[in-house]
Amino acid sequence: MLAQEIIRSKRDGNTLSAEEIKFFVKGISDRSISEGQIAALTMSVFFQGMNRNECVELTKSLQASGETLDWSNYQLNGPVVDKHSTGGVGDKVSIMLAPMLASCGVHVPMISGRGLGHTGGTLDKMESIPGYNVTPGIKDFQNIVANIGCAVIGQTAELAPADKRLYGVRDVTSTVESIPLITASILSKKLSSGLDALVMDVKTGSGAFAASREMAEALAKNIVEVGEGLGLPISALITDMSQVLGPTAGNTLEMIEVVDYLTGNYRDPRLHKVVIELAAELLVLSKASLSKEEAFTQLNKNLDSGLAAEYFEKMVVALGGPNNLLSEHEKILTKANIIIPVYPQNSTSEILTITNMDARAIGNLVVELGGGRKRAQDSVDHSVGLSAIKGIGDEVSQSEPLMMVHAKNQDDADKTIAKIHDIITLKDSNKIEKSNQQTPNENNVIMKRISKS
């Protein structure tokens, strides 16, 4: 076969055969196919798309480029499950969900990524914990998952290595936003983890990759169909990302919120709804629970008793972190040099209501503060970010902060505050017809469920 003929075929809108896809992915792995040829094919797929069978074959080939974790020798006492999010602002769901699931008897080998664009990365948040090792060996990773129940780590070289090269080309050729390529990238890595069930959290709104509801549903349906085609029990929830998920955005700040959530100090209602729904979905999907109601009961019981928090701390210790993070996190986690409130401005109204916010812009503010990367090689300042973020529909007085800015210096703080006033829309509370308000809250944060059944 010739790579250029495969490219030409897809460029012209034809369906690629399984053999053609296998040949091309093999060339990606052994580098017999150049970056230019990879770019040409991804651009062809971007414009011409792929049908379900093509997407299944691409996923299988990417998965076959590396290892697939074998759990048969570990004598696990429950199924192996995972959750994947398409990313958002303030999305710390995975870190809460993994120990909660482990406390219910399932095993969670969670391989996560770093921040991408305006969205924060689970891996960067875990690295805000001193000593925490996000790159253990595969055997150590499996042992921790088998013995403790969960581990949150970074992508390894052994799993789906062809996808790493493919994604690197997509990232610099504006072909990231391709539903078939996103589907194959996600599922190849998740199938390599040897899963018994997977739930997708596909976010939509101003802070999401899929800004429109239509794109989010198309992506979710494609992932579910391809996952089913590969024999994986899978479902997807469409969740709202029209505002920050929870009151924090920034690595250390979100880790503090995780600790508060697990220990019961504070649980944001919208965030809790997303966490508990995704966790229950996985427990039922993997047959670890007979019903959603049974799953909800067990999850809430393990949260309230502190059992889920215990699993989290055991995971942290097993991966090199401190054994007193839950009780001493204020001393252990780094703090920003400048912490300053942001108040409403230029208004004569006593009480104001937040009617809108640009969640993507808020995510970018965290990046500009140093909490994310502008270039792949950039380092991250884990201490910076935003906290006490008010939500859409919240009322504030002139003396009440919209949020707190955590910055490394005053200049960064001042620049951030100036931009916040352009990002959040405030209106006089007395001039808003309450009956016409569509306020995002815990009752509508879960927008739709997509599954085979």
Side-chain angles (χ1 to χ4, degrees), residues 105-171:
V106 300
H107 298 268
V108 191
M110 189 169 282
I111 298 175
S112 301
R114 299 196 181 279
L116 184 64
H118 70 283
T119 64
T122 297
L123 211 57
D124 296 321
K125 294 162 194 174
M126 299 310 300
E127 285 188 325
S128 70
I129 303 173
Y132 191 95
N133 179 19
V134 299
T135 55
I138 285 291
K139 292 304 177 187
D140 287 341
F141 174 51
Q142 289 191 274
N143 283 328
I144 293 169
V145 171
N147 295 326
I148 292 174
C150 61
V152 181
I153 68 164
Q155 178 68 34
T156 70
E158 294 91 345
L159 304 184
D163 178 67
K164 185 174 182 180
R165 188 174 180 223
L166 178 62
Y167 187 87
V169 173
R170 289 170 55 210
D171 194 32

Side-chain angles (χ1 to χ4, degrees), residues 308-358:
E310 288 179 26
Y311 273 82
F312 172 73
E313 195 153 68
K314 287 179 183 177
M315 176 190 76
V316 169
V317 172
L319 284 159
N323 62 7
N324 57 345
L325 181 64
L326 294 179
S327 59
E328 301 289 340
H329 66 274
E330 289 188 4
K331 295 178 181 178
I332 292 169
L333 300 176
T334 57
K335 294 181 176 64
N337 295 327
I338 303 294
I339 303 173
I340 188 167
V342 184
Y343 296 100
Q345 67 170 11
N346 301 329
S347 176
T348 57
S349 304
E350 289 186 10
I351 302 296
L352 298 160
T353 298
I354 298 173
T355 57
N356 193 31
M357 69 167 60
D358 186 341

